[in-house]
Amino acid sequence: MEILAFGVTADEKPLLEQAFAGTHEVRCLEVFLEEDTAPIAAGYEIVSSSVNADLSGRVLRMLAAGGTKMITQRSTGFNNIDLDEARRLGMTVSRVSYYSPYSVAEFAWALAMAVNRRLVRATTRTRDFDFRLNGLMGRDFHGRTVGVLGTGKIGAAFTRIAHGFGMRLLGWDVVQNPACLELGMAYVDKDELLASSDLISLHVPLLDSTRHLIDAAALRRMRDDAILVNSSRGGLIDTEALVDELRAGRFEGVGLDVYEAEAGVFFTDKSLETVEDDTLARLVTFPHVVVTSHQAYYTTDAVGQIIDTTVANVADYLAGRRSENTLVPPE
């Protein structure tokens, strides 16, 4: 059987082809799965999508009309998929429920360090042979307070690194993680965490209940010299409210690997186009803000696990099995 994979990067393609070698052929496309590209999938029973795919009801109906019966998404998040419509159409949908939490946790710390120690500004200067230190002063994280919103696998990995820095640990989650408690984390309510933390990092899924978890009111509760990092989902932050606070001169720094309106922008080259998103255009102009393109997961270890799980999802579908990765089971 030939499987069609959308949104495959140049780094990912050889790994994906190798993983399916000997069992199935895989056709890899760089284009993302959306309404305009869905017709390409006609005749393919199994389709693999990337995290930024548009799997709305309309796209799912187009896929089903072309003969697609199974979608396996190469990501943990699935808020882009209309699961109710998939059930109605009788389509099987799977995801990757787990991959290396260290990839995202370590990248979140890379963002925190980059904004704290002004690394982007420093490297830009030295490329121009400007070696002055003015404006590059950061702070020790040791002895300061970190607030971790979401203490699952990734949040716990982030917390272990914070513990290594010698930080005071605050956490917020619906369930307390024993591993974090052992490290000395104190669980508090969200308002207290926001008001007390020097560094705040987001590690919660994007749900209706967590959309704009960091809204205008939450941002106002944060310290003026706080650092905010988001390597989870862009919709957790009200970006327009964040820009307003930044314009007012607040926050020591902000590191964002995700953006709530990133669909159709991230993972693409827009360097020769006019930027139509005024909020994003303003956001990247602040000297103490670092924006990266949803790359926290992008390590050989994590991508390898994502691909291995995708292979297993296909095997489960063909065998009529379900697993922890199954979002909509086969009929």
Side-chain angles (χ1 to χ4, degrees):
M1 178 179 293
E2 187 176 36
I3 298 163
L4 183 61
F6 286 90
V8 180
T9 68
D11 298 323
E12 186 184 10
K13 181 179 179 181
L15 300 176
L16 198 57
E17 292 175 337
Q18 182 179 1
F20 277 107
T23 55
H24 306 287
E25 294 183 8
V26 58
R27 179 186 176 192
C28 297
L29 303 178
E30 291 186 12
V31 296
F32 306 118
L33 178 52
E34 56 184 0
E35 187 173 334
D36 290 339
T37 60
I40 302 173
Y44 287 90
E45 180 178 343
I46 300 175
V47 167
S48 178
S49 60
S50 55
V51 64
N52 58 327
D54 172 10
L55 288 167
S56 60
R58 179 173 175 81
V59 173
L60 290 176
R61 289 189 292 273
M62 293 174 67
L63 292 173
T68 298
K69 298 180 180 179
M70 192 265 184
I71 297 170
T72 178
Q73 181 147 290
R74 303 187 308 281
S75 72
T76 299
F78 55 91
N79 53 286
N80 60 316
I81 308 174
D82 187 337
L83 298 180
D84 290 335
E85 184 66 9
R87 291 188 187 94
R88 191 189 70 79
L89 294 168
M91 302 178 77
T92 299
V93 181
S94 297
R95 63 158 178 163
V96 177
S97 60
Y98 174 85
Y99 60 83
S100 169
Y102 310 107
S103 60
V104 179
E106 291 171 5
F107 194 85
W109 271 106
L111 287 174
M113 294 296 293
V115 297
N116 179 42
R117 302 306 298 269
R118 312 292 192 260
L119 294 184
V120 174
R121 184 185 298 180
T123 54
T124 300
R125 285 185 183 179
T126 55
R127 286 179 182 273
D128 292 331
F129 292 91
D130 179 355
F131 297 98
R132 293 172 298 169
L133 297 181
N134 296 334
L136 301 182
M137 185 175 289
R139 300 177 297 182
D140 290 357
F141 279 131
H142 178 83
R144 287 189 161 81
T145 299
V146 62
V148 185
L149 291 160
T151 57
K153 292 182 176 66
I154 296 173
F158 182 91
T159 300
R160 284 191 290 272
I161 299 172
H163 182 263
F165 272 104
M167 302 186 75
R168 175 186 175 222
L169 310 174
L170 296 181
W172 175 86
D173 208 328
V174 292
V175 177
Q176 297 184 6
N177 188 331
C180 294
L181 291 171
E182 289 180 7
L183 294 172
M185 173 173 278
Y187 279 87
V188 297
D189 63 42
K190 187 181 74 169
D191 288 351
E192 181 178 347
L193 183 149
L194 295 174
S196 303
S197 299
D198 299 287
L199 168 64
I200 296 166
S201 190
L202 308 182
H203 301 286
V204 300
L206 180 60
L207 308 168
D208 289 341
S209 59
T210 60
R211 184 173 296 279
H212 286 183
L213 181 71
I214 304 299
D215 56 12
L219 291 165
R220 287 192 294 270
R221 291 188 183 96
M222 293 169 54
R223 295 178 176 179
D224 288 347
D225 62 351
I227 292 174
L228 175 63
V229 172
N230 186 11
S231 58
S232 185
R233 286 293 182 267
L236 298 176
I237 297 178
D238 182 340
T239 315
E240 291 188 8
L242 175 61
V243 169
D244 288 341
E245 296 300 313
L246 290 168
R247 291 178 63 185
R250 300 192 63 225
F251 307 135
E252 184 74 8
V254 175
L256 304 175
D257 185 50
V258 288
Y259 173 60
E260 62 178 327
E262 68 181 54
V265 178
F266 280 26
F267 307 111
T268 65
D269 182 2
K270 299 290 186 180
S271 61
L272 300 179
E273 300 179 21
T274 300
V275 178
E276 298 179 355
D277 187 330
D278 292 338
T279 302
L280 179 59
R282 185 57 189 263
L283 189 64
V284 299
T285 64
F286 293 102
H288 57 316
V289 173
V290 174
V291 178
T292 52
S293 54
H294 206 141
Q295 69 183 81
Y297 79 98
Y298 204 55
T299 67
T300 54
D301 308 87
V303 173
Q305 291 172 342
I306 288 169
I307 290 174
D308 288 344
T309 300
T310 300
V311 173
N313 287 343
V314 170
D316 286 340
Y317 162 74
L318 294 175
R321 297 187 298 258
R322 66 176 68 188
S323 72
E324 62 180 350
N325 302 311
T326 306
L327 296 173
V328 180
E331 294 183 336

